[in-house]
Amino acid sequence: NNMDNNNVGRCAACGCVGPNPGYISLTKEEVLLEMEKKALLSWKISEDGKSIFKKFTCKNWQAAIDCINAISVVAESKDIQHHPDFSLTNYRDIEIRLSTHATGGLTAIDLKLAEYIDKNVVIDYSKKWLESQSASKIPNAPDAKF
């Protein structure tokens, strides 16, 4: 089963230890199916199917840094131990990109981390950015702080 993420081991690419450290790549079709099952509506899959990402604008610099720090806590949790790539531009625009370096693609742990981020990280979005989005696609949007 490609979605089994109960195996623990060391990732050959980055050395992290955790569940499903990246040895079973998922097909683009498997990823899309799992994204639908997990309701990862704010995430998009890259054209090559090797990563998923989400982009958003935070209220200000501090909100962006707080978001990155909160995601870091989730990424370091004992049932995840998997680390996203971040891009912070224009002092508050964030892109989170998930992939598994050891396989050069996506694995179950990438989808698990996306789900944990959506369920556990409250993002202080820019009011203007949030108003330009479909509320149904933004996790924690009803609780968003302005």
Side-chain angles (χ1 to χ4, degrees):
N1 177 352
N2 281 350
M3 295 309 297
D4 177 18
N5 59 3
N6 294 319
N7 297 323
V8 175
R10 181 172 302 277
C11 173
C14 68
C16 66
V17 176
N20 185 19
Y23 299 114
I24 302 172
S25 282
L26 303 173
T27 66
K28 191 172 185 176
E29 292 73 26
E30 288 173 317
V31 170
L32 290 169
L33 181 63
E34 286 301 311
M35 287 174 70
E36 187 176 326
K37 282 185 194 176
K38 294 178 184 295
L40 300 176
L41 303 175
S42 63
W43 294 84
K44 296 179 181 173
I45 191 166
S46 63
E47 283 188 34
D48 63 8
K50 294 184 178 187
S51 65
I52 58 173
F53 64 94
K54 69 189 289 179
K55 297 179 181 184
F56 53 90
T57 301
C58 292
K59 181 179 177 180
N60 54 34
W61 167 262
Q62 191 59 57
I65 296 302
D66 291 346
C67 173
I68 291 170
N69 287 333
I71 291 169
S72 178
V73 169
V74 170
E76 284 288 308
S77 66
K78 77 174 186 174
D79 24 327
I80 296 290
Q81 286 296 305
H82 190 62
H83 308 100
D85 290 327
F86 290 107
S87 173
L88 172 60
T89 57
N90 296 320
Y91 79 90
R92 63 188 187 141
D93 293 335
I94 293 180
E95 178 179 330
I96 308 164
R97 188 166 293 268
L98 302 175
S99 66
T100 300
H101 299 118
T103 64
L106 288 160
T107 64
I109 196 67
D110 296 303
L111 298 166
K112 184 176 181 180
L113 179 53
E115 183 178 29
Y116 271 47
I117 289 169
D118 282 358
K119 288 183 177 179
N120 297 296
V121 176
V122 176
I123 299 169
D124 195 356
Y125 296 106
S126 154
K127 184 176 182 178
K128 185 176 180 180
W129 179 86
L130 194 59
E131 288 171 350
S132 72
Q133 305 300 306
S134 169
S136 65
K137 291 188 175 189
I138 309 301
N140 299 322
D143 301 322
K145 301 179 291 180
F146 296 115

